[in-house]
Amino acid sequence: MSATLVEAPLLRLRAFRNLFVAGAVSQLGSQITYVALPLLAVTALGAGAGEVGLLSALATLTALVIGLPAGAWVDRVRRRRLMIAMDAARAVALLSVPVAWWAGTLSMAQLYVVTVLVGAGSLLFDVASMSIVPGLVGRERLTSANSLLVGTAAGMDVAGRSLAGVLAQVVGAPLAVLLDALSYLWSAVWLRGVPEPALAGDGSPEAAESLRARIAAGVRFILGNRVLVAALVQGTMANLAFPLCSVLLPVLIVGRLGYPEWVFGAYLAVGGLGVLAGSSSAHLLGRRFGTGRAVWVVSLATAPAALVIPFLDAGPWLWAAAAAWFVLTFRTGVNNVLLVSLRQRVTPDHLLGRMTATMRLLLMGAVGLGGLLAGLLGEVWGVRAPLWAGAVIMAVSWLPIHFSALRRSGPNTAGRPY
């Protein structure tokens, strides 16, 4: 690692800056669609709780099908080229939605297919993107780089979700989806300025191994590292809880309580502000307490806020729930920076793709399962039942870190591979 690379401000590094700009605009569009697709399903197609839950789950359940092979594949292909291809594929899939709506042929079946295609593209893109960051900034600056990336993504969450609610009300959800498609094309253009790193593991004996053997090596690496296991269990619990607390919000806020679409967008935007605040604080918290201890303290301190969410109702309770949502997403911002940086720091270059994909297999699989459970519980016991289930899981999700060696890591041991 050259002294220039270590000392230069991150955004003065052309390769990282291009990756940053590409991701920022793409994230803005993605958050617009995150709000617009379920609103389109509810307002234009009359979707109920089960259909909205399935729509949410499909994007993340894709990780269960292609997650492990994706990691092994990403470790063997040109990552920048793959990211550009996935941007183009997601743009085409999303463009089909406004076209079908304007032609009068839009259906839930099409929304399901588009969600699966975009979910698969996002999985491959994100695995490649997270695997390329250490080579662009160096492992010494991973926490700072991830703080910038996660913080900017959170800012785009706020802008995208707020803008989506306004767009859905003023010009309609189909136009919002069109903007997301254009954002992916923008991302592809900026990625052309990111250098293509050498293939990880070129010339090593592992390069000739079968796909199954390469997948198994990645899984063994994670299961053999106690830090990664603790982070994985904690993240899986949180990722199961969040969709339980949020998937049916369009049905509750817009459908049951009668608020306009912009209120739903504003509620979600509060969560983006929480992630932004948490990611901005993560570097200081990690330096003060150490990675594991900071994650444990923040998770424990924010746990009670989860129990406010199920009381969401008209009037003051809406804003009380929004405040609790801010607190919980603050924790997410801290964890996303500190734990992702830790994972990248303790993983060898040739295993980065597989480690990332295996983590996403379970973490995003939990999000998909949470979406399905939200739809099921909503259909059987009403829209508040999943809110209570998610709140309880979130309130105890600090326990895996509490009982791990990671909690006892101080500022000088945060990066140690236990």
Side-chain angles (χ1 to χ4, degrees), residues 326-373:
F326 174 89
V327 172
L328 294 177
T329 53
F330 174 89
R331 163 190 161 167
T332 298
V334 173
N335 288 1
N336 282 355
V337 171
L338 294 182
L339 293 182
V340 167
S341 300
L342 176 68
R343 281 155 37 186
Q344 293 170 329
R345 199 158 48 236
V346 302
T347 304
D349 287 342
H350 69 282
L351 287 168
L352 278 169
R354 279 164 285 175
M355 179 278 294
T356 302
T358 303
M359 285 288 189
R360 285 184 64 92
L361 171 70
L362 295 177
L363 295 176
M364 299 311 295
V367 174
L369 179 59
L372 286 177
L373 286 176

Side-chain angles (χ1 to χ4, degrees), residues 77-354:
V77 301
R78 300 292 180 183
R79 291 166 179 168
R80 186 198 65 171
R81 189 178 303 170
L82 174 64
M83 293 163 66
I84 292 174
M86 291 304 100
D87 272 339
R90 288 182 289 178
V92 171
L94 286 170
L95 281 171
S96 73
V97 173
V99 170
W101 182 82
W102 286 320
T105 59
L106 184 66
S107 65
M108 285 302 301
Q110 180 178 350
L111 292 185
Y112 293 148
V113 172
V114 169
T115 300
V116 169
L117 293 176
V118 172
S122 296
L123 171 67
L124 290 167
F125 182 95
D126 291 345
V127 170
S129 177
M130 294 177 70
S131 301
I132 211 173
V133 171
L136 297 181
V137 304
R139 293 176 187 270
E140 302 89 345
R141 307 186 71 183
L142 280 173
T143 300
S144 298
N146 284 318
S147 181
L148 184 58
L149 291 171
V150 173
T152 301
M156 295 301 102
D157 287 355
V158 176
R161 295 177 185 186
S162 301
L163 180 60
V166 174
L167 286 174
Q169 188 168 357
V170 175
V171 298
L175 179 59
V177 177
L178 174 61
L179 290 177
D180 188 16
L182 296 177
S183 75
Y184 285 127
L185 296 178
W186 169 279
S187 172
V189 171
W190 278 89
L191 286 172
R192 295 176 63 189
V194 176
E196 187 74 78
L199 291 178
D202 275 354
S204 68
E206 188 188 46
E209 289 182 352
S210 67
L211 180 64
R212 179 178 299 179
R214 292 174 60 79
I215 291 173
V219 173
R220 283 196 304 271
F221 171 75
I222 291 175
L223 296 182
N225 188 301
R226 290 179 291 169
V227 166
L228 295 182
V229 170
L232 177 60
V233 175
Q234 188 259 10
T236 299
M237 294 177 69
N239 280 16
L240 178 65
F242 267 109
L244 285 168
C245 291
S246 63
V247 163
L248 297 187
L249 289 179
V251 179
L252 177 59
I253 294 176
V254 178
R256 298 286 178 85
L257 299 180
Y259 282 103
E261 289 90 339
W262 72 263
V263 173
F264 170 59
Y267 182 98
L268 295 181
V270 168
L273 288 173
V275 176
L276 177 59
S279 61
S280 301
S281 307
H283 184 64
L284 294 176
L285 290 169
R287 188 162 54 184
R288 172 64 179 84
F289 296 106
T291 294
R293 194 174 298 164
V295 169
W296 173 70
V297 168
V298 171
S299 297
L300 180 61
T302 58
L307 300 177
V308 178
I309 300 295
F311 292 100
L312 191 157
D313 209 333
W317 278 111
L318 173 65
W319 307 113
W325 191 245
F326 174 89
V327 172
L328 294 177
T329 53
F330 174 89
R331 163 190 161 167
T332 298
V334 173
N335 288 1
N336 282 355
V337 171
L338 294 182
L339 293 182
V340 167
S341 300
L342 176 68
R343 281 155 37 186
Q344 293 170 329
R345 199 158 48 236
V346 302
T347 304
D349 287 342
H350 69 282
L351 287 168
L352 278 169
R354 279 164 285 175

Side-chain angles (χ1 to χ4, degrees), residues 28-51:
L28 175 67
S30 296
Q31 293 310 311
I32 291 174
T33 293
Y34 178 82
V35 175
L37 273 187
L39 282 177
L40 183 61
V42 171
T43 58
L45 301 176
E51 291 170 307

